[in-house]
Amino acid sequence: MLADAVDAGGSAYITGEVSESTVHLAREPGVGFIAAGHHATERFGAQALGQAVAEHFGIKVEFVDIDNPA
């Protein structure tokens, strides 16, 4: 996917996937690379989905946030 972003003229690539090879692929054309990690980039979507499900179905939904540095 990084190659597609570079081909499209992108100047930065933001992902939740940490990959050493992607870092090197981004450096070659000078593209900014931000690997924010799965936990940090996905938890808010899961919380929003839980809230929508709770409101739609009238049920209690609990989100348990377990910190993960990756």
Side-chain angles (χ1 to χ4, degrees):
M1 289 197 295
L2 172 62
D4 295 331
V6 171
D7 291 343
S11 60
Y13 184 72
I14 303 171
T15 181
E17 183 67 32
V18 179
S19 167
E20 184 177 350
S21 62
T22 306
V23 172
H24 297 294
L25 291 172
R27 280 186 184 156
E28 290 176 17
V31 171
F33 177 68
I34 301 169
H38 284 285
H39 180 74
T41 59
E42 295 175 357
R43 68 178 171 199
F44 298 109
Q47 290 173 354
L49 177 61
Q51 182 177 351
V53 167
E55 291 172 3
H56 183 78
F57 293 104
I59 61 174
K60 180 182 176 190
V61 174
E62 182 177 348
F63 177 79
V64 179
D65 191 6
I66 301 171
D67 192 30
N68 182 337

